[in-house]
Amino acid sequence: MANNFKPETLCVQAGWSPTKGEPRVLPIYQSTTFKYDTSEQMARLFDLEDTGFFYTRLQNPTNEAVAAKIAALEGGVGAMLTSSGQAANFYALFNICQAGDHFVCSSAIYGGTFNLFGVTMKKLGIDVTFVSPDASEEEIIAAFRPNTKALFGETISNPSLEVLDIEKFARIAHSQGVPLIVDNTFPTPIDCRPFEWGADIVVHSTTKYMDGHATSVGGVIVDSGNFDWEAHAEKYPGLCTPDDSYHGLTYTKAFGKMAYMVKATAQLMRDLGSIQSPQNAFLLNLGLETLHLRMPRHCSNAQAVAEYLSGNDKVAWVNYCGLPGNKYHDLAMKYMPNGSCGVVSFGLKGGRDVAIRFMDNLKLAAIVTHVADARTCVLHPASHTHRQLSDEQLLEAGVRPDLIRFSVGIENVDDIIADIRQALEA
């Protein structure tokens, strides 16, 4: 489907275009393998000379349709589903980095990603330097090295809710000859399309708003097709020099704007295998069909909750970029004028013990490790998702020890606020 359709239409229609006699609803191709008539047909697929399906670890018709829908929503040339958002983050960088390389990353990112980049990837010989997203361009550029291969950030950081200045980060990345990779999980392409502001690659944890129902773990990588790998060929030999595992094929020469995505699929997914199951891709597609309806409700409900918390004398502070006095309000209005996300963070007077009592007294909102689905939920990151980080690392990631992450669902907002009120007063 052409990308010139509006997002609402793409959510419902993109990716799957049935012809005469085919299912109107995207089917689940629950098969590991696909039949061909001749050995030559199969050989051409393995040599990347023809498109098609031969083994679900590399690609599957259900997955391809859903990936195409997300690529259309983001305005990209191609996409690849992964088994989780963490897998998407890893693949996005590992596709252009190898042992001895380095990348620069905003420090305001999800705690699991912080650990992936700062601990696990270092064991593979890939180093990272974390920088404050609010640092000056000169300070961020100072973190670059001759072997730096990418700049990474989150549109809205989880759970600190800092808004990335995408244009600034894109300008820095391109001045240094590297792509900007942006995790756009919280706003989704309904509220922000980073490619329009200069980002080159976008990743998502599709587990969150895209799925919307907390049924399926997954991730996705989307490529804009805009970064000129050949112009920086010495930095990216994996894309710009022959791949011995594919008979000397050079991705940029053979696939042009699709080089990055073909390499990620044909090489990384082939060897590492973090594929999203067709069943999960099917469920993800059902979520995507209503994404354009749910996101405005999440945002309007979160705005009302943030305003209520701001006026409550038991609340020490509130962080939501939709509030006019918020530090990131102007950036949010620039990049996300129609709403940002449904997540609000705040702290209570009295510290951690009061926060725990508040959460234990909630009746509608549930204490869960998840965030960004239809049901309102709550978490204390320092005690739960980010507990592997020291207090110093928490602060570096923008997570205060007293921070409560409140993910506002699509229930009636009066009921949500009533639940917060009674828990504060209990």
Side-chain angles (χ1 to χ4, degrees), residues 161 163 318-332:
L161 304 182
V163 177
V318 181
N319 183 21
Y320 187 69
C321 60
L323 295 174
N326 184 269
K327 176 180 179 181
Y328 296 102
H329 182 72
D330 290 344
L331 280 178

Side-chain angles (χ1 to χ4, degrees), residues 63 117 188 361:
N63 292 34
F117 291 169
T188 80
N361 285 323

Side-chain angles (χ1 to χ4, degrees), residues 157-159 161 185-187 207-210 212-214 294-295 297-306 309 319-320 340-346 358-359 362 364-381 385 403-413 415-417 419-420:
S157 59
N158 175 17
L161 304 182
T185 296
F186 269 13
T207 317
K208 311 303 190 300
Y209 289 121
M210 283 188 167
H213 304 92
R294 291 182 285 106
M295 287 308 295
R297 182 61 173 261
H298 280 294
C299 293
S300 63
N301 278 3
Q303 184 72 28
V305 167
L309 290 168
N319 183 21
Y320 187 69
S340 56
C341 69
V343 183
V344 179
S345 65
F346 61 96
F358 163 77
M359 290 190 297
L362 288 166
L364 185 151
I367 302 172
V368 299
T369 56
H370 200 239
V371 66
D373 68 61
R375 304 164 192 83
T376 297
C377 56
V378 66
L379 193 75
H380 182 239
T385 54
L403 183 151
I404 296 170
R405 184 184 72 185
F406 199 85
S407 181
V408 184
I410 58 174
E411 306 94 343
N412 184 284
V413 72
D415 291 337
I416 298 171
I417 290 174
D419 188 39
I420 293 171

Side-chain angles (χ1 to χ4, degrees), residues 144 148-149 172-179 227-228 232 235-236:
F144 280 71
T148 300
K149 299 299 177 69
I172 292 168
H174 298 156
S175 75
Q176 303 301 304
V178 305
F227 191 80
D228 189 346
H232 309 282
K235 280 182 176 287
Y236 304 104

Side-chain angles (χ1 to χ4, degrees), residues 39-59:
S39 177
E40 174 63 20
Q41 290 172 343
M42 184 71 79
R44 290 183 63 81
L45 291 172
F46 272 93
D47 285 343
L48 304 182
E49 293 175 355
D50 277 347
T51 59
F53 308 99
F54 52 91
Y55 198 59
T56 283
R57 188 177 77 238
L58 279 88
Q59 194 52 283

